Amino acid sequence: MAIFPETTTFYQAVVSKQPVLWKNSSSGYQPIVKELIVKFEDDEDDQGCTPHRRIHGRYVIPLPSAYFFEDEEDIELSTRSGGVI
């Protein structure tokens, strides 16, 4: 998930290229990610292509797996009599 440019809203995105910069510190070289290149879901242009967008690393978070459920964990929304709750 990442904040869509010029908004304050997180949207699902896929990291398409993850640049890593290296910083020399007392414990050796340390990776520093300053920005990521992502593709947002449902962000197609007029030709149907999804653009790559540069997003600062602090505005990108991993999608929590707790938001996804397996089929056997789905919640049944119908009652035993066949009606919908």
Side-chain angles (χ1 to χ4, degrees):
M1 295 187 78
I3 294 182
F4 195 83
E6 300 181 19
T7 72
T8 57
T9 306
F10 278 94
Y11 288 95
Q12 285 191 6
V14 176
V15 175
S16 55
K17 184 177 181 185
Q18 189 170 0
V20 176
L21 303 176
W22 296 93
K23 175 182 176 185
N24 190 5
S25 67
S26 60
S27 60
Y29 284 97
Q30 299 291 321
I32 301 173
V33 177
K34 295 216 176 200
E35 69 178 10
L36 299 165
I37 299 173
V38 302
K39 292 173 83 172
F40 287 96
E41 287 187 6
D42 299 325
D43 185 30
E44 294 88 16
D45 59 14
D46 294 337
Q47 289 78 30
C49 297
T50 304
H52 297 272
R53 298 184 183 269
R54 293 180 181 272
I55 307 296
H56 195 282
R58 69 177 146 194
Y59 300 129
V60 179
I61 60 172
L63 184 62
S65 60
Y67 289 108
F68 294 101
F69 299 99
E70 297 297 326
D71 290 338
E72 60 269 6
E73 296 175 359
D74 284 347
I75 300 169
E76 181 61 44
L77 296 177
S78 63
T79 62
R80 292 181 187 250
S81 62
V84 177
I85 297 176

